[in-house]
Amino acid sequence: MSGEAGRDVRSRCQVVVVGDQGTGKSSMIIALATDSFPDKPPPVLPPTRLPPDFYPDRVPLTIVDTSSRNEDKFKMEMECKKADAVVLTYACDRSQTLERLSSYWLPELRRLEIKVPVIVVGCKLDLRDDRQSSLEQVMAPLMQEFREIETCIECSALKQIQIAEVFYYAQKTILHPTAPLFDQETQTLKPRCVRALKRIFILCDRDKDGALNDAELNDFQVKCFNAPLQPSEIEGVKNVVSEKMAEGVNSKGLTLTGFLFLHALFIERGRLETTWTVLRKFGYDDEIKLRDDLLQNPCFKRCSDASVELTEKALEFLKGAFVDFDSDADCALRPQELEDLFSTAPSCPWSEAPYSDAAETNQVGGLTLDGFLSLWAFMTMLEPRKSLAHLIYIGYPEDPLSAFRITNRRRRDRRRQRSDRVVYQCYIFGATNCGKSSLLDALMGRLFSESYEHTKGTRYAVNVVEQNGGGRKTLVLREVSEEAVSDLLEKKDALASCDVAAFVYDSADAHSWRRAYELLVQVAAHQEITGLEVPCLLIAAKDDLESDPSCTKGSTRVCTDMGLEATISVSIKLGDIGNLFRKIVDAAQHPHLSIPETEAGRKHKQYRRLIQRSLTVAAVGVTFTVAGIAIYRLYMKRKNCNSL
């Protein structure tokens, strides 16, 4: 595995040189650019630009000199913040400048939050006292304390010793950084690098036998480096691996263990460009994530009231992946099995909110097939680019465009009076402690819990809902805490992604009912202002308790006055939820029904009808007037003709 570096993601590099006054910054830059030592270098050089062919990677390099004077400190800081790498100098003949690296310069770069590689350079090597400690002895504790230091080197501008190497290493740390790939402390590949290389290995293992045979190794070499491997070279690679670890090679070829070992070996020997070339050929950026240009999809550019959904082709692939990684065949993915499935991605995409604890699991915490597919549908609805990235990470074999579809706009669905979506989102509103969270738990098939924990912000639950006739839809419940409602409704498109709004109240608590009604009116008023109409449902929770008569009468009156479906009564504690989730989906599929209408909205609608009727009458009047004038003119014309 060798060859020239592949296409790099950068088109230019900028290196800033800093250090104490008199350490040789300007002389080093002049010696590089002119191959000569300046007798009287200027205090600060203008930016020096090296042509693309100066170094093997063929990327233009700009070197920015800086002043160490206090009055120029702000300018130096600004240049550092724009840098891709920093060259930090000290003078080999002045020990105090070396001490200043740890006492001032490196802490100062940290204070400025300069998160780029640092190359420490000892200038004036020709003046170095041979009795001084070696570079390795001096720099080892410094590099241990300041992990941002990529490498250390000594040079002499006067003697032209290692001047070109200084900036070659600087550019190399930019184009082929060590930090994302390798942990210097443990001397091992970092987890994200291992995951990326594992994915590459699996993609190259076309016969899926767990090893790269000679033909697969050669194809890999050609893809990454545009040059084939000779049979003797292939044997040489396998011999190097097998000498160090027997499990790295078997009768079928190079194993994943051997593949990872080779890359660790390249990095240890300073050949980071080899591993970076491989990663970039397979679409990775400097953070070892898929490049942005690979995650573009026309479906992702859509109106706010349209959604992205997975196609049947993508769902079939995911069902197959579920079966493949369900190693104990218990129809659920245990945490370790789920980790194995996403072992070729930077991490599991569902380890944090809003996805963690949002789907159905079995009694031992395994993710069921419905829960697995629901999370994919939820992620696609909420973050389609993330969904696309992880489909690619786990090996979706088709064109990524075939995995997604964009839905109709919700406005259009309401005009058509039907929706063909597969995934629906229901916003759950209600007073604190009215039973909203219990509804989310019920959707995920969880038993009722007496303990109460207030939801802060937004919480989600998702699952598949069986429809009459055998259809299956995915329902996403979004719990909106009482205190978050005002902030939500301040946004004009707050309900653009909402298919149904449900208002929950404690059927035994009059205050809870009044609050649900207030929230319903707020949402209805928001709809009438923005024109984003959403069907609304009333849900009477805790039906196992004795109902408050005012709640029953109030909800009946409101449903009649506002044109809503009858209130749905449920008891999560008793497990009596009837067809609640099916009714929510039904309301979403027929979005023209249960649209709430306030008194103000009704008056406004009547006013608009009157205006429209007046305009129609006026238009008819104008039409008759114009027609009358035309008839009169025709009559007079004929009369005049007859008189002649």
Side-chain angles (χ1 to χ4, degrees):
M1 277 185 263
S2 61
E4 296 297 323
R7 181 187 70 80
D8 199 274
V9 294
R10 290 182 178 268
S11 59
R12 54 172 288 283
C13 297
Q14 181 160 306
V15 174
V16 173
V17 183
V18 300
D20 282 347
Q21 190 171 2
T23 52
K25 301 187 295 293
S26 301
S27 296
M28 178 177 60
I29 298 170
I30 293 173
L32 174 72
T34 66
D35 290 328
S36 62
F37 181 75
D39 293 330
K40 294 182 179 180
V44 180
L45 296 173
T48 301
R49 294 176 175 83
L50 302 182
D53 58 357
F54 198 93
Y55 287 123
D57 285 297
R58 302 187 65 81
V59 177
L61 177 65
T62 299
I63 303 170
V64 179
D65 193 11
T66 61
S67 168
S68 304
R69 299 184 307 176
N70 284 333
E71 54 265 40
D72 296 324
K73 184 177 180 181
F74 178 76
K75 185 176 181 181
M76 181 272 293
E77 292 176 352
M78 291 301 101
E79 293 294 354
C80 286
K81 289 179 179 180
K82 294 186 292 184
D84 298 313
V86 172
V87 167
L88 176 57
T89 63
Y90 68 95
C92 291
D93 62 333
R94 292 165 54 198
S95 59
Q96 65 270 29
T97 63
L98 176 59
E99 293 168 1
R100 286 258 298 168
L101 298 184
S102 58
S103 65
Y104 174 74
W105 282 106
L106 288 163
E108 180 68 5
L109 292 174
R110 283 187 175 179
R111 184 188 69 80
L112 295 172
E113 298 183 347
I114 308 300
K115 301 182 184 299
V116 297
V118 176
I119 296 86
V120 173
V121 179
C123 299
K124 306 183 183 183
L125 176 60
D126 52 292
L127 300 179
R128 188 176 187 273
D129 188 341
D130 292 339
R131 292 173 296 177
Q132 291 177 334
S133 301
S134 68
L135 180 64
E136 290 78 12
Q137 290 175 318
V138 172
M139 289 301 162
L142 192 67
M143 294 182 73
Q144 185 71 24
E145 182 180 357
F146 297 95
R147 294 289 181 179
E148 56 268 39
I149 300 175
E150 281 281 339
T151 191
C152 303
I153 186 173
E154 293 177 327
C155 68
S156 169
L158 178 64
K159 301 293 186 180
Q160 286 288 320
I161 299 173
Q162 296 198 133
I163 294 296
E165 285 82 350
V166 168
F167 294 98
Y168 171 70
Y169 288 136
Q171 188 184 64
K172 193 173 179 180
T173 63
I174 299 168
L175 301 179
H176 316 299
T178 304
L181 304 182
F182 201 70
D183 188 322
Q184 297 282 14
E185 189 168 345
T186 62
Q187 291 292 292
T188 57
L189 295 173
K190 287 192 172 179
R192 183 170 289 184
C193 180
V194 171
R195 288 169 173 266
L197 292 174
K198 181 179 179 181
R199 170 178 170 260
I200 292 168
F201 179 89
I202 291 171
L203 291 174
C204 295
D205 181 19
R206 295 191 305 275
D207 57 11
K208 306 304 177 189
D209 64 352
L212 300 183
N213 58 37
D214 290 0
E216 290 167 341
L217 269 175
N218 189 62
D219 290 344
F220 167 80
Q221 172 76 13
V222 171
K223 176 179 175 65
C224 294
F225 305 103
N226 302 315
L229 282 171
Q230 298 301 316
S232 59
E233 293 176 307
I234 294 176
E235 286 304 311
V237 168
K238 291 192 287 189
N239 288 337
V240 168
V241 174
S242 60
E243 287 174 6
K244 298 291 183 180
M245 51 173 56
E247 66 271 25
V249 178
N250 62 23
S251 59
K252 298 175 183 178
L254 184 71
T255 65
L256 174 61
T257 302
F259 187 73
L260 295 174
F261 167 77
L262 268 180
H263 283 281
L265 189 63
F266 292 145
I267 294 168
E268 288 176 5
R269 294 181 177 179
R271 291 174 55 190
L272 290 93
E273 64 273 15
T274 300
T275 299
W276 274 116
T277 297
V278 171
L279 291 169
R280 285 165 179 156
K281 282 290 184 179
F282 282 85
Y284 290 93
D285 62 15
D286 284 357
E287 296 180 353
I288 318 185
K289 295 180 180 179
L290 289 177
R291 294 194 314 269
D292 283 344
D293 61 287
L294 299 178
L295 303 179
Q296 304 297 330
N297 190 310
C299 287
F300 301 161
K301 294 181 179 180
R302 63 197 185 281
C303 299
S304 60
D305 63 339
S307 298
V308 180
E309 295 181 346
L310 292 170
T311 62
E312 194 59 39
K313 184 176 289 188
L315 291 171
E316 287 303 315
F317 166 76
L318 291 172
K319 290 174 186 177
F322 182 93
V323 172
D324 290 342
F325 284 88
D326 181 16
S327 55
D328 55 5
D330 66 345
C331 298
L333 294 181
R334 292 177 288 106
Q336 185 56 54
E337 292 170 333
L338 193 64
E339 172 61 26
D340 291 342
L341 188 150
F342 287 114
S343 64
T344 52
S347 61
C348 176
W350 305 327
S351 57
E352 297 179 354
Y355 306 105
S356 59
D357 200 37
E360 180 183 72
T361 57
N362 62 15
Q363 292 180 344
V364 293
L367 191 63
T368 65
L369 177 59
D370 280 348
F372 178 73
L373 296 177
S374 295
L375 281 177
W376 274 103
F378 177 35
M379 181 166 64
T380 302
M381 180 194 78
L382 208 61
E383 300 178 277
R385 278 173 58 93
K386 185 174 184 177
S387 183
L388 169 58
H390 283 82
L391 273 176
I392 296 174
Y393 284 134
I394 67 173
Y396 182 67
E398 306 289 339
D399 182 344
L401 292 175
S402 69
F404 301 92
R405 61 179 286 267
I406 190 167
T407 66
N408 289 326
R409 297 186 64 181
R410 288 175 174 82
R411 291 178 187 269
R412 185 184 176 203
D413 285 345
R414 284 156 197 154
R415 286 197 300 268
R416 296 191 311 156
Q417 301 186 357
R418 62 185 176 86
S419 172
D420 299 324
R421 294 170 184 269
V422 177
V423 182
Y424 293 109
Q425 182 169 204
C426 174
Y427 286 24
I428 305 291
F429 297 95
T432 300
N433 200 22
C434 68
K436 300 189 296 295
S437 297
S438 295
L439 286 182
L440 272 68
D441 290 337
L443 177 65
M444 295 183 285
R446 298 179 185 175
L447 297 176
F448 174 77
S449 173
E450 291 283 0
S451 62
Y452 172 73
E453 184 176 346
H454 178 60
T455 300
K456 297 179 181 179
T458 301
R459 181 194 170 201
Y460 290 91
V462 57
N463 210 343
V464 173
V465 175
E466 297 282 350
Q467 293 297 101
N468 290 325
R472 289 164 60 86
K473 303 292 183 181
T474 300
L475 177 61
V476 178
L477 297 184
R478 175 181 176 179
E479 179 184 353
V480 184
S481 64
E482 186 178 5
E483 59 269 21
V485 174
S486 296
D487 289 340
L488 174 69
L489 296 181
E490 283 182 359
K491 303 171 186 175
K492 184 178 180 180
D493 61 348
L495 302 176
S497 61
C498 177
D499 295 290
V500 181
F503 299 84
V504 183
Y505 64 93
D506 180 343
S507 60
D509 185 347
H511 169 74
S512 180
W513 155 247
R514 287 194 299 271
R515 186 61 183 137
Y517 172 64
E518 290 170 0
L519 293 171
L520 172 60
V521 171
Q522 286 183 47
V523 170
H526 181 276
Q527 294 186 38
E528 290 165 352
I529 293 171
T530 61
L532 292 171
E533 295 182 328
V534 176
C536 294
L537 299 174
L538 283 174
I539 300 175
K542 305 183 183 181
D543 195 41
D544 51 289
L545 303 177
E546 185 177 350
S547 298
D548 187 301
S550 64
C551 297
T552 305
K553 292 178 182 178
S555 62
T556 302
R557 174 182 54 79
V558 167
C559 288
T560 302
D561 291 348
M562 299 185 76
L564 305 183
E565 295 289 324
T567 301
I568 305 168
S569 296
V570 298
S571 172
I572 305 300
K573 183 176 183 178
L574 298 179
D576 181 14
I577 60 173
N579 294 318
L580 171 64
F581 302 125
R582 189 176 296 170
K583 288 178 179 179
I584 292 175
V585 172
D586 285 343
Q589 289 182 290
H590 303 93
H592 62 295
L593 302 175
S594 290
I595 303 297
E597 191 172 48
T598 65
E599 185 63 30
R602 193 176 295 112
K603 290 179 179 179
H604 181 65
K605 188 177 291 186
Q606 290 174 347
Y607 175 74
R608 286 171 56 192
R609 287 173 180 166
L610 285 173
I611 295 296
Q612 186 64 38
R613 191 176 303 164
S614 299
L615 291 174
T616 302
V617 171
V620 171
V622 169
T623 302
F624 277 116
T625 300
V626 171
I629 292 172
I631 292 169
Y632 174 75
R633 286 177 176 172
L634 181 60
Y635 167 75
M636 292 302 295
K637 185 176 181 180
R638 289 181 177 175
K639 182 178 179 182
N640 292 336
C641 288
N642 291 334
S643 64
L644 292 175

